[in-house]
Amino acid sequence: MATAVVPPGISLREIGTAGRGVRPDEVVLALSPGFAGFFTKTIVDIPHAEVVRQILAGVEEQGVHARVVQLHATADLAAVAHTGARLSGSGIGIGVLSRGTTMIHQKDLPRLSSLELFPQSPLMTPEIYRAIGRNAAQYAKGDSPQPVPTLNDQMARPRWQAKAALLHLKECELLVKGAPATEVDPVIEDPA
Amino acid sequence: MSLVVGVDIGNSTTEACAARLTGNGIEFLGSGLVPTTGTKGTTANVDGVEAAVRAALRTTRAPLGELARVFVNEATPVISGLAMETITETLITESTMIGHDPRTPGGAGLGVGITVPFAALDECSPGEAVIAVVPAGVDFAVAAKGLEAALERGVGLRGAVLGNDDAVLVANRISRVIPIVDEVRLVDAVPAGMTAAVEVASPGRTIRTLSNAYGIAGLFSLDADQTRAISPVARALTGIRSAVVVRTPSGEVSDRRIPAGTLELRGGSAVLRIDVGEGAEAIMAAVGRVAPLDDASGEAGTNVGGMTAAVKQNMADVCGLEVAQVRIGDLLAVDTFVPQEVRGGLAGEVALENAVALATMVRTSHGPMRQVARAIAERLRREGAPDVEVVIGGVEAEMATRGALTTPGTDRPLVVLDLGGGSTDAALAGADGTVTTVHLAGAGDLVTRLIASELGVERDVAENVKRSPLARAESFFHLRLEDGTVRFFGEPLPPTVFARVVALTEQGLVPIPTRHSVDRVRDVRRTAKQRVFVVNALRALARVAPYRDLRQIGFVVLLGGSALDFEIPELIADALAPYGIVCGTGNVRGSEGPRNAVASGLVLAQGGP
């Protein structure tokens, strides 16, 4: 399935099948099948290395532990995020699709609900990814973070929908039916 | 037998009570309650009156056409005004200190050194004690690498100040534990080449050295005069987890009092001037000394002056009077505090500044009630009640006591405390049938205003905080209520309330957007109610009680919208318990609760024996 291309800046070293965490101070970052593999950047060309780095930095700054898993059986954002939440010791998970769409989820919520949803992938920035990591970690600690302001651009849909649909189809081609989520160690090059 | 309706036009609600007058008594039929339209006592009230009359008749299915008489009360038009002025201001000059308490500082300890910009760190020689100042544009990995390189060269790196929210990230990436303060918005304004101290306390603790004047004096070798000058810096840094103090040639923090203006209180026997800056207690003592208050005015050209002028102008417009004829009949001052950004701060520091809130009440002897009555009659006749007559039925306070006395278990001498939105009104029905009344400024609206300013939230949020008990959604399946008990749910709670402080309103859970804990919000709510309602209840009772002796009062009946509150009646009852007074929320006609007293009283007065 995956390609041999090593994306610049990030590689996901596979550790094994992802298990359920027991640490209450843990947030799970769940990545879609093509993340940092077939795809290397989001719909607006933010490198996947930067996305993961900023989310993990946001979590770390709060003194919370992060674990990264990659899904192979689904590319649906709610399913990705909810799987991450159910694997997380704190019950808080972050799901990210290759094109950049993101969601913070909690294990007790219905799958199609969410704590915070960032539906318009073209409007995402590294600062928003940092804030998402920060908020997820604060939920895990039992704090009451102010939700990250979500942007809305009326023109995002007509401008980007076709590209988003193509990216989604491409990602769906990578699906492996029934494959379990794998735990990965993200190896990220720091900027000089 | 005739169909009558009593209508009470209040500041915020219009209530109606429908009844049939028969030869041998009164048969109460139904009640109606709608929001008041327009300012009380103006013809704009007609829409609300019509709606209230219709609502009262709807519950009985009596046709509008049968309506014979409508009684309205001779209301003393009472208009309340609110204003709040801060009376202190904290100022930082020359960027002496940073004390904004970021949520996640890095490392721990206390470090003293010379401030060096991050870019110039390479030029430091080994052994030099430095504090690195890292601008916001620098990535955390780059910052950590730069600091680590300096440490390896033997530079005495004692602490760091960052622009980004990166302190923990940087602390995790360097080999030595040093105190790091982050999220300093104007980090570029930190002066370079100055001696500075950075302190970070371990989690759960607060800084010890920089919040102590002698601690700072020891670090910077200050003499007695200099220590006196920096003591406000130490005071400003108490109770926080991290801080930076920079020693500059003439920087200081000052706690300045703003001239808020003087109030002139004119009473029957004396005229007193009082500076608003002296605080609520001094103002209320002065109000007590001149009582009864004839008028109050603020010094022209000051905030107080502007506020009193606006209240008077508003009242003059309503009554068609000259501004000079309008008098402020009562005034309630309350001490409060307002979180405000510190001027001259580098990191958006917020200080709680003292403020005084003033509620004023204006009354005139004659409201335009006749016009209102005529307008109501015209409207109802047009709407299908051809024979209706609108009668001004009596004084509001008298009617309220009549209505309140229908509460089972009451007797004279009885005091009605009407806890409204704008004013707190009291009426004493003496054993001999006399009625003494007093109208005091300050009620529900002032409580909302205090909550809004002290928590720094919007008015509608404050309204929810005022009306409902609090809880925190600790998981999707349970709430921790403000009294510490837990409530479980079978269905998951909505995601919008997860991990938040919520108000348990009748419409469900409403999240309160605040960083404060449940305990803090509850404390603000209860003290706001204490400072307004309990203070006013005691003030009002003292004014109407025979010989100003509260023990001469047998019963106190609480009426009005705020009497429906879940804790105000308790707070007042607790405060009155030492005087042997029976105090409780009214239950008009044994069925209406604290509502409808005046409307019921109007009907009773007309049809009764």
Side-chain angles (χ1 to χ4, degrees):
Chain A
M1 57 165 195
T3 68
V5 181
V6 179
I10 183 170
S11 63
L12 301 175
R13 265 199 311 126
E14 202 165 305
I15 296 172
T17 303
R20 180 163 299 185
V22 289
R23 297 179 61 157
D25 63 338
E26 156 182 281
V27 167
V28 166
L29 170 60
L31 306 173
S32 63
F35 199 96
F38 182 81
F39 297 100
T40 57
K41 52 193 185 185
T42 71
I43 195 166
V44 285
D45 295 340
I46 302 172
H48 282 171
E50 184 67 1
V51 173
V52 174
R53 189 166 177 272
Q54 290 298 342
I55 291 176
L56 295 183
V59 174
E60 182 183 339
E61 176 66 22
Q62 296 299 318
V64 172
H65 177 74
R67 210 151 54 95
V68 184
V69 302
Q70 185 156 41
L71 274 74
H72 303 288
T74 178
D76 172 67
L77 180 61
V80 170
H82 197 239
T83 306
R86 280 187 293 123
L87 291 172
S88 166
S90 68
I92 302 293
I94 304 168
V96 190
L97 298 185
S98 296
R99 62 181 180 277
T101 329
T102 306
M103 178 188 268
I104 306 177
H105 220 313
Q106 206 271 358
K107 68 171 168 42
D108 294 331
L109 275 174
R111 179 181 275 196
L112 290 179
S113 183
S114 69
L115 281 177
E116 293 185 38
L117 169 64
F118 306 87
Q120 297 193 357
S121 54
L123 304 179
M124 301 298 280
T125 63
E127 290 74 33
I128 295 177
Y129 286 116
R130 173 73 81 96
I132 289 169
R134 182 191 68 213
N135 269 22
Q138 289 187 347
Y139 285 119
K141 288 197 286 187
D143 289 348
S144 313
Q146 293 298 309
V148 181
T150 46
L151 301 172
N152 186 15
D153 178 359
Q154 306 297 335
M155 291 310 290
R157 196 171 277 273
R159 263 187 77 197
W160 295 95
Q161 195 164 33
K163 189 173 179 191
L166 280 175
L167 292 177
H168 186 67
L169 286 176
K170 277 285 172 200
E171 186 140 52
C172 285
E173 283 173 14
L174 303 170
L175 295 182
V176 181
K177 206 174 175 189
T182 49
E183 184 159 349
V184 294
D185 178 18
V187 181
I188 304 169
E189 283 170 22
D190 274 329
Chain B
M1 195 176 86
S2 62
L3 183 65
V4 301
V5 176
V7 177
D8 169 28
I9 306 166
N11 280 311
S12 48
T13 56
T14 297
E15 299 174 342
C17 165
R20 262 182 220 286
L21 303 184
T22 58
N24 43 13
I26 303 169
E27 185 199 345
F28 284 103
L29 298 175
S31 314
L33 183 144
V34 299
T36 296
T37 50
T39 308
K40 173 181 176 174
T42 62
T43 46
N45 296 156
V46 173
D47 294 329
V49 171
E50 188 200 334
V53 169
R54 283 182 185 277
L57 294 177
R58 195 174 309 127
T59 49
T60 61
R61 300 191 182 171
L64 192 62
E66 265 183 48
L67 190 60
R69 290 179 139 197
V70 170
F71 304 113
V72 292
N73 56 316
E74 174 74 85
T76 327
V78 170
I79 287 205
S80 52
L82 282 180
M84 195 175 289
E85 290 304 335
T86 48
I87 54 176
T88 59
E89 181 183 42
T90 308
L91 267 169
I92 304 176
T93 57
E94 273 207 32
S95 334
T96 343
M97 65 151 214
I98 300 166
H100 67 124
D101 212 16
R103 302 246 267 175
T104 54
L110 172 69
V112 182
I114 305 290
T115 50
V116 175
F118 181 70
L121 211 51
D122 294 344
E123 297 151 27
C124 293
S125 40
E128 216 177 317
V130 300
I131 302 285
V133 180
V134 185
V138 180
D139 182 85
F140 59 87
V142 176
K145 241 177 255 171
L147 297 184
E148 185 62 25
L151 282 170
E152 274 168 21
R153 283 196 302 118
V155 175
L157 183 66
R158 299 293 151 82
V161 180
L162 311 183
N164 293 335
D165 181 13
D166 287 344
V168 175
L169 292 163
V170 172
N172 287 351
R173 282 165 180 72
I174 58 176
S175 56
R176 184 106 40 95
V177 177
I178 57 166
I180 304 176
V181 171
D182 64 356
E183 288 182 80
V184 178
R185 212 164 50 198
L186 301 177
V187 68
D188 297 329
V190 176
M194 300 285 174
T195 311
V198 180
E199 184 174 8
V200 173
S202 51
R205 294 182 176 270
T206 56
I207 53 168
R208 302 292 296 277
T209 309
L210 295 185
S211 57
N212 172 2
Y214 301 125
I216 300 178
L219 292 177
F220 296 142
S221 339
L222 304 180
D223 62 27
D225 281 338
Q226 290 168 319
T227 307
R228 190 171 297 127
I230 57 95
S231 82
V233 174
R235 252 210 333 275
L237 295 177
T238 49
I240 60 179
R241 234 195 98 194
S242 65
V244 180
V245 173
V246 185
R247 190 180 178 197
T248 55
S250 60
E252 64 171 324
V253 176
S254 60
D255 199 7
R256 197 163 74 90
R257 293 192 88 75
I258 305 169
T262 52
L263 259 181
E264 188 181 279
L265 305 171
R266 228 167 306 137
S269 53
V271 178
L272 280 180
R273 277 171 209 281
I274 179 110
D275 189 340
V276 173
E278 286 183 43
E281 209 170 307
I283 297 173
M284 290 320 290
V287 171
R289 276 208 299 285
V290 300
L293 190 65
D294 282 343
D295 194 15
S297 53
E299 190 184 342
T302 65
N303 294 332
V304 190
M307 174 214 150
T308 48
V311 171
K312 288 185 176 182
Q313 185 62 53
N314 186 6
M315 189 65 204
D317 293 347
V318 168
C319 303
L321 290 170
E322 292 295 312
V323 177
Q325 289 173 274
V326 177
R327 306 256 177 270
I328 289 181
D330 187 52
L331 184 146
L332 175 70
V334 178
D335 279 326
T336 176
F337 49 83
V338 184
Q340 270 188 344
E341 195 158 310
V342 172
R343 277 215 289 155
L346 295 183
E349 287 97 334
V350 170
L352 287 178
E353 306 292 3
N354 296 319
V356 171
L358 284 180
T360 53
M361 192 217 40
V362 173
R363 50 195 288 213
T364 57
S365 45
H366 299 290
M369 213 52 216
R370 251 162 247 296
Q371 276 164 264
V372 181
R374 206 172 314 128
I376 295 170
E378 277 168 25
R379 170 67 71 89
L380 290 176
R381 281 180 198 143
R382 205 170 57 223
E383 293 295 323
D387 307 323
V388 73
E389 238 185 301
V390 178
V391 182
I392 297 173
V395 180
E396 181 168 355
E398 247 168 78
M399 298 303 117
T401 55
R402 263 180 197 271
L405 278 164
T406 61
T407 297
T410 55
D411 196 5
R412 293 165 191 265
L414 165 135
V415 174
V416 172
L417 265 183
D418 185 349
L419 313 172
S423 66
T424 304
D425 306 322
L428 168 77
D432 52 358
T434 56
V435 174
T436 320
T437 64
V438 60
H439 302 272
L440 297 181
D445 295 342
L446 179 59
V447 172
T448 308
R449 183 75 169 263
L450 291 174
I451 293 173
S453 73
E454 292 186 10
L455 293 177
V457 295
E458 296 292 319
R459 288 285 276 280
D460 50 337
V461 174
E463 193 69 28
N464 278 328
V465 170
K466 180 179 80 173
R467 288 173 187 277
S468 320
L470 300 163
R472 189 166 188 279
E474 292 191 332
S475 81
F476 276 104
F477 296 100
H478 81 280
L479 285 181
R480 172 89 48 191
L481 306 181
E482 65 175 39
D483 62 2
T485 55
V486 173
R487 202 168 124 201
F488 290 97
F489 294 83
E491 292 290 307
L493 297 166
T496 46
V497 308
F498 177 68
R500 296 191 200 290
V501 173
V502 293
L504 305 171
T505 68
E506 277 157 26
Q507 289 81 42
L509 304 175
V510 178
I512 309 292
T514 174
R515 268 191 182 192
H516 300 294
S517 68
V518 168
D519 289 345
R520 172 95 183 82
V521 178
R522 176 174 187 265
D523 197 47
V524 165
R525 182 192 77 211
R526 285 179 70 94
T527 53
K529 288 175 179 174
Q530 286 269 7
R531 282 177 290 168
V532 175
F533 281 113
V534 174
V535 166
N536 259 354
L538 292 172
R539 246 172 20 114
L541 293 181
R543 293 269 284 274
V544 297
Y547 316 110
R548 304 194 128 233
D549 178 9
L550 265 56
R551 291 183 181 282
Q552 305 286 324
I553 301 168
F555 297 87
V556 170
V557 173
L558 306 178
L559 298 177
S562 299
L564 288 166
D565 187 88
F566 65 103
E567 61 189 353
I568 291 172
E570 285 170 36
L571 292 172
I572 294 177
D574 283 350
L576 296 185
Y579 303 101
I581 295 172
V582 180
C583 172
T585 305
N587 189 8
V588 175
R589 290 190 266 124
S591 63
E592 301 294 312
R595 293 287 195 186
N596 216 270
V598 174
S600 301
L602 281 166
V603 173
L604 284 167
Q606 303 307 316

